[in-house]
Amino acid sequence: MSGPVVVGVDGSPSSLDAVSVAAREARLRGCGLKVVHAFLWPAMHVPLGSSPLGPAEGGMRDMVGQLVAQAVEHARSAAPEVEVGNAVVTGEALTVLEAESHTAPLVVVGSRGLGGFGALLLGSTAVHLAAHGRCPVLVVRGRVDDTRPILLGADGSPAGEGAVEFAFREAVLRGTGVVALHAWTPWSVAVTPPQDPSMPNALDPVVLAAGEERLLAETLAGRRERYPDVAVEQSAVRGGAREALIEASGSAGLIVVGARGRGGFTGLLLGSVSQALLHHAHCPVVVVRASDTRR
């Protein structure tokens, strides 16, 4: 897509962290950056000007202008060569940023905003966008280090194809490698009936492990030829995907997953593994929906 990378801001420290990451992502892609603030108060008919008893610049409209200007300057400091625009859009952040995702190559948000309850690890805007965004959504959390490899959560499902492609393209942009991790359990493996009907469907751990390693290799095969300069490390491990990916994220610069993988309930827009990573990963997380084509 030719549109700018979009970052949502609300004046929180988390959103300023997102601005820095978004500016660098725009620089890598050679595109612009759009700083967006969702301004809900006009829709609620709240007075936006200053109070007669307060300073002239004390109104809500001026406060919003100041926080957006701060975010723009923050972006320019992080990536001076990137063209930075901004927009203040009336509406809820969830609705505004979802609309922006229709034309953006990437939407970036912080893991926590100003609203919500302090005990929550992740803001509702980040969860909503990961489930409903029309382009890849990057949630900034944990340690930010662009020099570390991209961690790809691969499960071999058609829904995860977009995440695989995004991970390799991002690795090319950053000049890093890809660590492809596939976690499986006997309960997550589709068992192939034996050729001899008289033989039992035995869940031989060795056979299952070989099959899952083969599945991972097949998932990565086309990308190895398409991106020959990307160093790839692949690992198929027996265990829960959530635990394995969260642990591996401690040494990654970015983790990339699909919104939905194999298993679970098809009616859900965001899988349990993706949600767990958004809450607990040690580095930024990108969620790529299966229907997205702008990777």
Side-chain angles (χ1 to χ4, degrees), residues 148-156 160-161 163-168 171 176-184 212-224 230-238 241 244-246 248-249 251-258 277:
R148 296 194 177 202
I150 307 294
L151 174 62
L152 167 64
D155 65 1
E161 279 294 302
V164 177
E165 183 67 18
F166 183 96
F168 275 82
T176 60
V178 169
V179 176
L181 177 61
H182 172 56
W184 61 275
E212 295 305 293
E213 289 174 0
R214 184 167 56 251
L215 175 65
L216 177 58
E218 291 170 353
T219 300
L220 302 175
R223 272 70 182 200
R224 286 183 181 275
V230 175
V232 181
E233 176 186 336
Q234 61 185 71
S235 176
V237 299
R238 180 173 178 174
L245 289 169
I246 289 171
S249 70
S251 56
L254 182 72
I255 181 168
V256 182
V257 290
L277 291 169

Side-chain angles (χ1 to χ4, degrees), residues 75-100:
R76 289 172 176 159
S77 298
E81 63 272 46
V82 171
E83 181 179 347
V84 183
N86 66 86
V88 176
V89 184
T90 299
E92 291 185 325
L94 308 178
T95 305
V96 169
L97 292 175
E98 183 182 340
E100 292 286 343

Side-chain angles (χ1 to χ4, degrees), residues 3-294:
V5 169
V6 170
V7 59
V9 300
D10 62 2
S12 66
S14 180
S15 75
L16 285 181
D17 291 340
V19 167
S20 296
V21 171
R24 294 195 292 272
E25 289 292 330
R27 180 183 61 201
L28 292 174
R29 287 164 173 74
C31 67
L33 175 66
K34 185 177 181 181
V35 175
V36 177
H37 175 76
F39 197 21
L40 181 61
W41 300 112
M44 300 179 68
H45 307 292
V46 174
L48 305 180
S50 60
S51 167
L53 303 178
E57 68 280 5
M60 296 189 67
R61 184 181 291 109
D62 290 317
M63 292 174 62
V64 167
Q66 292 170 16
L67 78 84
V68 170
Q70 180 188 20
V72 168
E73 287 306 309
H74 200 73
R76 289 172 176 159
S77 298
E81 63 272 46
V82 171
E83 181 179 347
V84 183
N86 66 86
V88 176
V89 184
T90 299
E92 291 185 325
L94 308 178
T95 305
V96 169
L97 292 175
E98 183 182 340
E100 292 286 343
S101 73
H102 283 258
T103 56
L106 181 70
V107 173
V108 183
V109 293
S111 59
R112 286 304 313 271
L114 291 176
F117 300 92
L120 295 179
L121 294 174
L122 187 70
S124 59
T125 299
V127 174
H128 178 93
L129 279 175
H132 297 275
R134 304 304 299 177
C135 71
V137 174
L138 194 166
V139 178
V140 179
R141 57 168 296 107
R143 181 205 61 257
V144 177
D145 185 348
D146 295 346
T147 66
R148 296 194 177 202
I150 307 294
L151 174 62
L152 167 64
D155 65 1
S157 70
E161 279 294 302
V164 177
E165 183 67 18
F166 183 96
F168 275 82
R169 290 189 182 183
E170 186 72 15
V172 170
L173 293 174
R174 296 188 180 203
T176 60
V178 169
V179 176
L181 177 61
H182 172 56
W184 61 275
T185 69
W187 306 105
S188 67
V189 176
V191 180
T192 303
Q195 293 182 349
D196 185 349
S198 66
M199 297 295 291
N201 291 337
L203 298 177
D204 186 324
V206 176
V207 174
L208 291 180
E212 295 305 293
E213 289 174 0
R214 184 167 56 251
L215 175 65
L216 177 58
E218 291 170 353
T219 300
L220 302 175
R223 272 70 182 200
R224 286 183 181 275
E225 284 87 25
R226 195 180 309 168
Y227 303 101
D229 295 331
V230 175
V232 181
E233 176 186 336
Q234 61 185 71
S235 176
V237 299
R238 180 173 178 174
R242 282 173 287 188
E243 295 79 7
L245 289 169
I246 289 171
E247 180 179 357
S249 70
S251 56
L254 182 72
I255 181 168
V256 182
V257 290
R260 293 286 306 153
R262 62 182 185 181
F265 299 95
T266 56
L268 297 177
L269 291 174
L270 194 63
S272 60
V273 173
S274 302
Q275 291 197 50
L277 291 169
L278 290 173
H279 284 87
H280 301 292
H282 302 295
C283 66
V285 180
V286 172
V287 177
V288 183
R289 293 184 62 201
S291 60
D292 178 49
T293 58
R294 287 157 291 158

